[in-house]
Amino acid sequence: MDYQFKDIEQKWQQFWAEKQTFKADNNSTKPKYYVLDMFPYPSGAGLHVGHPLGYIASDIFARYKRLKGFNVLHPMGYDSFGLPAEQYAIQTGQHPSLTTEENIATYRRQLDQIGFSFDWSREVRTSSPGYYKWTQWIFMQLFNSWYNKAEEKAESIAKLVEHFETKGSAGINAVSDEDTATFTAGEWKAYSHNQQQEELLKYRITYLRESTVNWCAALGTVLANDEVKDGFSERGGYPVEQKKMMQWSMRITAYAERLLQGLDTIDWPEPLKEMQRNWIGKSVGASVKFPIKKEAHNSQLTTHNIEVFTTRVDTIFGVTFLVIAPEHELVNELTTPEQKADIEAYITQTKKKSELDRMADTKTVSGAFTGIYVLNPLNNEPIPVWIADYVLAGYGTGAVMAVPSGDQRDYLFAKHYNLPIVPIIDIQNIETEADPTKEGTYINSDFANGLTYKEATAAIIAKLEAIGAGKAKVNFRMRDAIFGRQRYWGEPVPVYFKDGLPYLIDESELPLLLPEIDKYLPTETGEPPLGRATDWKHPEGEYELSTMPGWAGSSWYWYRYMDAHNDSEFASEKAIEYWKDVDLYIGGSEHATGHLLYSRFWNKFLKDIGKVNEEEPFKKLINQGMIQGRSNFVYRLIDAEGRGTNTFVSHGLIKEYKTSPLHVDVNIVKNDTLDTEKFKNWRPEFADAEFILENGKYVCGHEVEKMSKRYYNVVNPDDIASQYGADTLRMYEMFLGPLEQSKPWNTNGIEGVFKFLRKFWRLFHDDQWNFRVSEDAPTKAELKALHKIIRKVEEDVERFSFNTSVSSFMIAVNELTELKCNKRAILQELTIVLASYAPHICEELWALLGNGEGTLSYAPYPTFKPEYLVEDDFAYPISINGKTKMNLSISLSLDIKDIEAFVLANADVQRYLEGKTPKKVIVVKGRIVNMVV
RNA sequence: GCUCAGAUGGUGGAACUGGUAGACACGCAGGACUUAAAAUCCUGUUCCCGUAAACGGAGUGCGGGUUCGAUUCCCGCUCUGAGUACCA
């Protein structure tokens, strides 16, 4: 029979499911290999053709590794807590768990159609109580830990308490809140229980603190920094404002240095690492305290100096003014009565500007003088203090020392307000702009005069430290992560409050289930939706009402797959010891500063407390590119009165007519040719449409846009699978281009892949479509074709160049067709090699070859034998004059006796040889490509 | 502005450490089969000139350089995409 992909694919998908072919074994003697996909959020729209791209790539890799003899863990699950289900619940009243359930069913059906080799027995859902029990458990471990900087690791809070009880706060080097108290052991013991708890909260890795948060009123929740884009929420695009709130936070900053260092040990795409480095934002510099000039202010000040952070402490003698952020907490106290009006006017003006305006408008210089002066700690020169909105309250100390000769922003500010500009380096050119050079030697710099950059920096820091006015400091841009969300559809925080202080619930009470509520909206008093729950009360106090953010469940899920049904641990020690870490992780780069950073953070924490073994969770990571939409257009003819008619002009002719473009559903267009009948049925108003054709066809225009319903360019994998089959879909998605590159989806070439599979099928069949293979011994040419593809696929898969493999398969099958090869010895091995790309057709042929049903998935990958290739193609690595290296494949070689004539005829060659005679010359189409001298 | 990635036929793309540029596929043109169409198969297809053909010239965004030889390496520029944005 002809290639009947529908029957074949259904048969094998059923077979794999029933026989649990891809169930991974936790007790195998084979080497392990863990291939992971970023699990999806099951949205209501279902999968479009872009989603499976990464899954197909990882599936090919997983299947390949199985053939190579590895015990492969290749699981899938759902990140099923999230906003859309909740918003749907608000609109319809339908419980988010129902919506989620339905969406998951759709996803599963769509995924099953593509023939993935997932081990579904390990499926996880972050919203199922059996799963979030352990998310809550990890939260409890974080609450019960503090970060010991001396040891560079997290430790138990009990250990900290023990230290407090014996030695007080002395000798503690922790990452903590800034306002920790200093006390002796005796004082600690004298503290009330509540005082102790309050103090400990300042050390816990997950802690409660009043902090400025990104509040999104429209969504009724706070958002993390990476969920905010240009002052608007990433989801929905609602405005986001800054607001002070009591919030759960995660002390991820404790891990900043380790998160940065770890990047050098993992095989990730460089751009992604760079994004994480920028996000962590390490800058090495110094903090300097500028004492406030006594007589500057008549009144008594509670603060005596302004602290700044700088990366160029060497320029301190060039400081001619200080700038603090308008939101800086000292502004009010510092401003002199005479300047009060000015400053207040400036602050109101700044506040009026939206976040966006303020960022866009970086050219306008604005600021106001506070009226007070500080002293340069190294030479006691008075320095005026200004406020200006180019200084951000949220970074460093919210205050900077301005060096107009070296910093362009300071330069512009100084010019605008007529402040002095002092050059401090001999070669500095500051005629028209600041010169941030580090070359040359210092001038106008007191004891640093004549020194180089390195010397000056060291000398100045030493001096500052000696007089107690500053010290070397490393600053990070990364902030602690806000962990609370005022939403319903998330993990409840396993905490209750007593006397205003948080306490963990008992571990035996886990999971703390989400309570049922009547409406999914905040309460009338503005509390989160959980405030609506009745009968939901801890015996000791009130439950926390906010839930965890979306990234909580996804920050450890790869461990749950290792031991998905364990009730007593998040995964057994044995399972974690066996599977260790993820060998290959495939997903989008949009998670660079969210999921991928938080996951690394939690992993490091879990390692610190001895629950996992690896410092980094994802050894190798590949970003699949985004699949963009490719929209098609028809061109409506405009009549003389400028009205649209019901006549449509083919794309090639639109210059001759007046037309307006109109999106048309890409599913009724094939190779940019419109199916005019389907178009008439597409919408009622086109029922009597007429067409002006070219070459008898209606050709559509096209453009690359986002894949979206609005542009009618969404292509559904179901449609492709039912039209061409899963094997064609899998191969075509790979054929489309390099995995990591973004590209528009179009089906223009899919026929080629389909034809290839049919050709492959035909190799095993005679003209009447009867299965027939020959038992004869293969010829040299046949063996060569086979071994070329064996090697090629091996190389391609290892370097994730799946698109070139597909081409190579086509070449191999074309060659074998040409040779009329139907030898079992060849086809058997070819089937194994193709199996990871097109598993259904290969399983079928494998069974027809008499190999036993369903044994293909674990068949041994054939061994490449180079002797079949070195017939007339081989390589010569040679070196000439010790510098030129050549390495070529050879098609024709001249004998030594023919060389002389050849060399004489070729000036290039003569120059190259410098009079020597080559031993061997390699010529291709009359051109020398290589010589052995 | 900064950082990164990229630019190759009508199209998607190949060429892995410098060595026959355009593999493979789509599209297009011509042909075979067919009453016809679809399907299938075969041939051609970077551009220009000449031409039936061999053959000749140009050619990997633009301008230089290194090299016997550059899509590949170096310098400068243009454009496109992504990320980031007053980070002191």
Side-chain angles (χ1 to χ4, degrees):
Chain A
M1 246 213 298
D2 196 354
Y3 170 42
Q4 299 290 329
F5 61 84
K6 270 195 184 140
D7 301 343
I8 294 171
E9 291 179 355
Q10 215 178 12
K11 170 180 164 188
W12 289 104
Q13 282 167 14
Q14 245 170 41
F15 181 96
W16 294 328
E18 277 166 20
K19 300 272 158 61
Q20 304 216 41
T21 307
F22 305 112
K23 197 167 172 177
D25 185 357
N26 272 12
N27 301 297
S28 172
T29 49
K30 291 184 195 172
K32 71 100 185 183
Y33 202 91
Y34 190 169
V35 183
L36 182 66
D37 293 290
M38 289 187 186
F39 63 166
Y41 172 78
S43 84
L47 290 173
H48 70 61
V49 102
H51 293 115
L53 181 75
Y55 305 157
I56 293 170
S58 68
D59 194 60
I60 289 172
F61 203 84
R63 283 175 179 271
Y64 169 81
K65 279 287 175 185
R66 275 189 209 102
L67 298 173
K68 278 285 190 181
F70 286 84
N71 182 31
V72 174
L73 176 55
H74 188 215
M76 182 48 83
Y78 306 96
D79 190 11
S80 46
F81 272 135
L83 272 179
E86 177 158 347
Q87 268 165 333
Y88 189 74
I90 291 170
Q91 286 159 22
T92 63
Q94 171 158 264
H95 196 281
S97 68
L98 292 177
T99 316
T100 304
E101 199 75 33
E102 284 165 18
N103 293 347
I104 286 178
T106 308
Y107 267 60
R108 178 64 192 272
R109 187 182 53 73
Q110 289 185 300
L111 290 170
D112 280 348
Q113 275 196 84
I114 305 174
F116 291 122
S117 64
F118 293 131
D119 177 356
W120 284 109
S121 73
R122 294 170 186 257
E123 181 196 296
V124 304
R125 300 174 184 194
T126 55
S127 63
S128 79
Y131 182 91
Y132 70 66
K133 170 180 179 180
W134 298 108
T135 312
Q136 291 171 333
W137 181 85
I138 292 171
F139 175 95
M140 292 168 79
Q141 312 312 306
L142 286 156
F143 185 85
N144 275 333
S145 303
W146 63 291
Y147 197 86
N148 186 344
K149 242 175 161 170
E151 300 286 328
E152 274 302 343
K153 64 182 283 207
E155 287 181 349
S156 143
I157 276 283
K159 224 172 147 180
L160 182 68
V161 171
E162 197 187 308
H163 185 107
F164 285 167
E165 280 172 353
T166 53
K167 298 175 190 125
S169 61
I172 286 291
N173 185 5
V175 180
S176 63
D177 291 1
E178 277 145 28
D179 58 347
T180 51
T182 312
F183 47 81
T184 63
E187 284 167 338
W188 171 258
K189 284 182 202 151
Y191 278 179
S192 71
H193 174 82
N194 281 2
Q195 275 174 314
Q196 288 182 348
Q197 288 304 316
E198 221 167 287
E199 188 62 22
L200 288 175
L201 198 52
K202 296 173 186 169
Y203 290 86
R204 298 182 190 275
I205 292 182
T206 180
Y207 61 102
L208 205 52
R209 174 166 77 173
E210 176 161 89
S211 43
T212 314
V213 296
N214 304 301
W215 172 254
C216 180
L219 293 173
T221 190
V222 300
L223 298 171
N225 285 342
D226 64 283
E227 293 169 317
V228 182
K229 289 243 148 41
D230 298 333
F232 290 90
S233 66
E234 198 182 27
R235 239 178 234 283
Y238 303 108
V240 173
E241 54 181 309
Q242 303 295 303
K243 195 175 162 183
K244 289 219 167 188
M245 282 180 81
M246 225 24 179
Q247 280 299 323
W248 285 102
S249 288
M250 288 275 168
R251 230 178 274 283
I252 188 173
T253 48
Y255 286 86
E257 189 62 43
R258 278 166 69 185
L259 287 168
L260 192 65
Q261 298 300 327
L263 290 174
D264 296 332
T265 69
I266 48 182
D267 184 5
W268 286 19
E270 203 47 50
L272 198 87
K273 289 191 190 179
E274 202 56 34
M275 277 164 79
Q276 290 210 346
R277 284 191 195 105
N278 288 340
W279 187 262
I280 295 165
K282 180 180 182 176
S283 55
V284 179
S287 78
V288 183
K289 288 177 186 164
F290 286 76
I292 291 162
K293 196 177 166 191
K294 288 281 177 323
E295 58 273 30
H297 225 292
N298 291 330
S299 62
Q300 284 289 311
L301 294 171
T302 51
T303 3
H304 303 293
N305 48 55
I306 298 175
E307 191 171 351
V308 305
F309 175 76
T310 176
T311 53
R312 288 297 300 274
V313 74
D314 56 297
T315 63
I316 193 162
F317 290 102
V319 175
T320 55
F321 56 103
L322 236 63
V323 189
I324 58 181
E327 300 89 350
H328 198 286
E329 43 196 22
L330 294 181
V331 168
N332 266 334
E333 191 189 351
L334 292 180
T335 307
T336 57
E338 307 83 71
Q339 294 299 324
K340 204 128 211 143
D342 269 14
I343 290 288
E344 271 165 12
Y346 183 70
I347 290 174
T348 17
Q349 184 203 326
T350 316
K351 270 194 182 151
K352 257 195 284 177
K353 275 202 262 180
S354 76
E355 187 79 3
L356 247 166
D357 293 342
R358 197 166 151 180
M359 282 194 291
D361 183 22
T362 58
K363 284 183 201 91
T364 321
V365 177
S366 69
F369 181 45
T370 59
I372 68 138
Y373 289 81
V374 291
L375 299 175
N376 188 325
L378 294 185
N379 61 9
N380 287 323
E381 288 289 321
I383 296 167
V385 178
W386 289 65
I387 64 169
D389 64 3
Y390 79 86
V391 174
L392 306 175
Y395 183 75
T397 59
V400 303
M401 57 178 228
V403 185
S405 57
D407 183 283
Q408 185 60 18
R409 290 157 309 178
D410 299 344
Y411 185 90
L412 291 174
F413 197 84
K415 283 274 181 204
H416 192 260
Y417 290 106
N418 272 323
L419 294 158
I421 300 173
V422 181
I424 29 119
I425 297 176
D426 54 357
I427 60 161
Q428 228 169 9
N429 176 3
I430 54 168
E431 293 278 301
T432 55
E433 56 179 11
D435 182 356
T437 183
K438 291 175 184 174
E439 310 287 313
T441 57
Y442 287 76
I443 54 171
N444 299 327
S445 293
D446 201 305
F447 61 85
N449 282 340
L451 299 182
T452 63
Y453 167 74
K454 263 193 162 168
E455 295 162 348
T457 305
I460 288 169
I461 287 182
K463 178 82 181 182
L464 286 169
E465 279 178 358
I467 61 171
K471 56 174 193 273
K473 194 184 172 186
V474 174
N475 207 34
F476 291 95
R477 188 163 74 102
M478 184 167 67
R479 304 279 76 150
D480 279 345
I482 308 287
F483 198 70
R485 296 289 184 274
Q486 286 62 47
R487 311 293 306 190
Y488 175 72
W489 193 229
E491 300 88 346
V493 175
V495 160
Y496 65 88
F497 284 89
K498 203 169 89 181
D499 302 330
L501 285 167
Y503 295 91
L504 293 178
I505 64 170
D506 194 81
E507 241 182 70
S508 63
E509 298 168 69
L510 289 177
L512 176 60
L513 295 172
L514 258 181
E516 297 300 322
I517 56 174
D518 55 344
K519 269 195 276 181
Y520 303 96
L521 288 168
T523 64
E524 281 67 30
T525 53
E527 289 194 311
L530 286 188
R532 293 178 174 274
T534 49
D535 287 345
W536 194 62
K537 206 174 168 301
H538 191 270
E540 305 277 326
E542 302 288 335
Y543 279 128
E544 165 66 47
L545 296 181
S546 60
T547 53
M548 299 188 197
W551 56 267
S554 61
S555 294
W556 68 280
Y557 74 111
W558 64 97
Y559 285 115
R560 190 60 179 168
Y561 284 134
M562 294 176 183
D563 194 9
H565 304 288
N566 195 328
D567 285 336
S568 52
E569 291 162 285
F570 69 89
S572 75
E573 219 172 287
K574 208 174 141 226
I576 293 171
E577 173 57 33
Y578 179 71
W579 292 110
K580 288 190 173 65
D581 54 8
V582 175
D583 295 283
L584 173 66
Y585 195 21
I586 296 189
S589 60
E590 66 271 22
H591 298 107
T593 53
H595 163 61
L596 287 172
L597 202 59
Y598 298 130
S599 292
R600 294 180 60 221
F601 160 41
W602 278 30
N603 191 81
K604 285 171 194 298
F605 169 74
L606 289 172
K607 181 175 186 249
D608 285 353
I609 63 168
K611 294 293 173 187
V612 308
N613 305 318
E614 303 297 319
E615 175 79 11
E616 289 290 339
F618 315 124
K619 246 191 282 192
K620 179 171 179 66
L621 184 129
I622 302 261
N623 289 129
Q624 91 274 26
M626 287 246 277
I627 298 253
Q628 296 142 303
R630 187 178 188 275
S631 311
N632 276 114
F633 295 90
V634 292
Y635 299 89
R636 186 194 281 269
L637 185 69
I638 308 289
D639 68 13
E641 279 84 48
R643 287 179 306 221
T645 64
N646 217 357
T647 300
F648 296 88
V649 182
S650 185
H651 181 65
L653 307 171
I654 54 173
K655 279 194 211 94
E656 299 160 35
Y657 299 89
K658 203 170 162 206
T659 59
S660 73
L662 203 71
H663 277 94
V664 63
D665 188 346
V666 294
N667 293 300
I668 59 171
V669 176
K670 199 173 166 187
N671 284 349
D672 287 338
T673 304
L674 181 70
D675 186 324
T676 51
E677 285 312 307
K678 282 188 185 160
F679 180 72
K680 287 180 184 175
N681 294 329
W682 183 39
R683 288 213 230 143
E685 67 260 41
F686 299 138
D688 49 357
E690 288 175 26
F691 304 94
I692 298 175
L693 307 176
E694 53 181 317
N695 305 325
K697 291 187 307 194
Y698 188 95
V699 179
C700 297
H702 62 88
E703 216 168 281
V704 173
E705 292 175 304
K706 221 174 81 184
M707 201 173 270
S708 156
K709 273 184 190 156
R710 167 161 60 126
Y711 302 133
Y712 303 105
N713 61 4
V714 177
V715 184
N716 195 295
D718 308 32
D719 295 341
I720 302 289
S722 65
Q723 210 178 337
Y724 295 99
D727 285 336
T728 302
L729 173 67
R730 290 167 64 102
M731 290 198 87
Y732 185 61
E733 290 226 9
M734 294 300 104
F735 182 68
L736 217 46
L739 179 63
E740 302 185 66
Q741 189 180 305
S742 284
K743 58 232 160 194
W745 172 265
N746 75 83
T747 30
N748 286 356
I750 198 164
E751 302 272 349
V753 172
F754 184 70
K755 275 193 229 170
F756 153 75
L757 286 173
R758 205 162 44 187
K759 261 189 192 168
F760 177 64
W761 180 258
R762 182 169 297 154
L763 280 179
F764 298 75
H765 294 82
D766 64 19
D767 293 345
Q768 278 74 50
W769 294 108
N770 296 310
F771 177 80
R772 178 160 301 162
V773 292
S774 151
E775 305 297 331
D776 295 349
T779 66
K780 263 190 176 168
E782 290 164 349
L783 283 165
K784 188 176 165 186
L786 173 68
H787 282 268
K788 235 163 52 180
I789 189 72
I790 292 175
R791 179 183 59 172
K792 181 73 163 98
V793 169
E794 229 168 349
E795 280 174 6
D796 285 350
V797 172
E798 302 280 357
R799 67 190 169 109
F800 304 95
S801 179
F802 300 110
N803 56 325
T804 52
S805 289
V806 178
S807 292
S808 303
F809 280 123
M810 292 178 177
I811 295 170
V813 166
N814 283 346
E815 280 173 358
L816 293 174
T817 305
E818 188 91 354
L819 295 164
K820 297 198 172 21
C821 169
N822 66 340
K823 313 266 173 68
R824 173 188 298 274
I826 301 289
L827 297 182
Q828 171 110 357
E829 301 210 330
L830 181 58
T831 305
I832 304 175
V833 176
L834 182 60
S836 29
Y837 286 77
H840 308 85
I841 189 173
C842 289
E843 282 276 20
E844 180 70 16
L845 290 168
W846 182 256
L848 285 171
L849 284 164
N851 287 302
E853 296 245 309
T855 55
L856 176 60
S857 299
Y858 293 91
Y861 190 87
T863 317
F864 163 63
K865 300 210 177 76
E867 58 265 32
Y868 295 121
L869 296 192
V870 291
E871 181 63 12
D872 47 16
D873 288 78
F874 54 94
Y876 266 113
I878 62 164
S879 105
I880 289 169
N881 297 339
K883 57 170 188 173
T884 314
K885 267 195 238 150
M886 294 184 215
N887 189 358
L888 286 190
S889 91
I890 295 138
S891 296
L892 168 75
S893 60
L894 287 185
D895 233 281
I896 195 86
K897 61 181 189 263
D898 300 326
I899 290 170
E900 245 178 296
F902 195 91
V903 168
L904 286 174
N906 193 317
D908 269 0
V909 178
Q910 285 192 9
R911 241 186 309 152
Y912 167 51
L913 290 172
E914 294 167 338
K916 279 175 262 173
T917 310
K919 289 192 197 105
K920 188 166 188 178
V921 178
I922 296 104
V923 178
V924 176
K925 285 187 185 169
R927 282 164 71 174
I928 289 192
V929 293
N930 198 3
M931 282 179 274
V932 182
V933 181

